[in-house]
Amino acid sequence: MRARRASPWPTTPRRATACTGFSCLETEPDIIDARGLKCPLPVLRMEKRLSQLAGGQRLVVLATDPMAKIDIPLFCRQNGHDCQVSQAGEELRFDIVAAQS
């Protein structure tokens, strides 16, 4: 039995995906942990990540800033993204689906 050589390239874990013939969609959403950050940082981080996602991909934003409850859904509505908000204690959770291009 031959010993397996180490790869010269760094390896990173691959995200779980589901393939449907022509395209692959991630099965786990990206998570942005913006807990402890104040306005406008949660929205700016979400905006940057959403610009990198394909339409239909999911993103979860966790935040504690009370203004995020207003700012994040407003940003999503203005840009065509679907946004669902839930709250557990002080923590806000935003489940976002990126708009189709």
Side-chain angles (χ1 to χ4, degrees), residues 1-64:
M1 182 186 296
R2 286 180 28 187
R4 188 174 208 169
R5 288 187 353 176
S7 172
W9 297 282
T11 58
T12 57
R14 298 193 63 166
R15 296 182 61 92
T17 58
C19 292
T20 59
F22 293 106
S23 64
C24 293
L25 299 174
E26 293 184 15
T27 56
E28 297 177 14
D30 283 347
I31 297 176
I32 295 177
D33 187 353
R35 293 176 286 192
L37 298 178
K38 297 292 181 188
C39 181
L41 291 177
V43 175
L44 293 174
R45 289 191 178 183
M46 177 197 67
E47 179 182 16
K48 182 177 180 180
R49 186 65 189 117
L50 280 170
S51 70
Q52 300 167 348
L53 295 179
Q57 286 188 299
R58 298 180 307 148
L59 176 67
V60 172
V61 179
L62 304 174
T64 52

Side-chain angles (χ1 to χ4, degrees), residues 54-93:
Q57 286 188 299
R58 298 180 307 148
L59 176 67
V60 172
V61 179
L62 304 174
T64 52
D65 182 16
M67 288 305 296
K69 191 172 188 176
I70 298 166
D71 294 340
I72 290 178
L74 176 62
F75 176 88
C76 290
R77 195 168 39 255
Q78 290 174 338
N79 292 281
H81 307 296
D82 183 41
C83 179
Q84 301 297 318
V85 183
S86 58
Q87 185 169 0
E90 295 291 316
E91 183 177 291
L92 297 164
R93 178 187 172 105

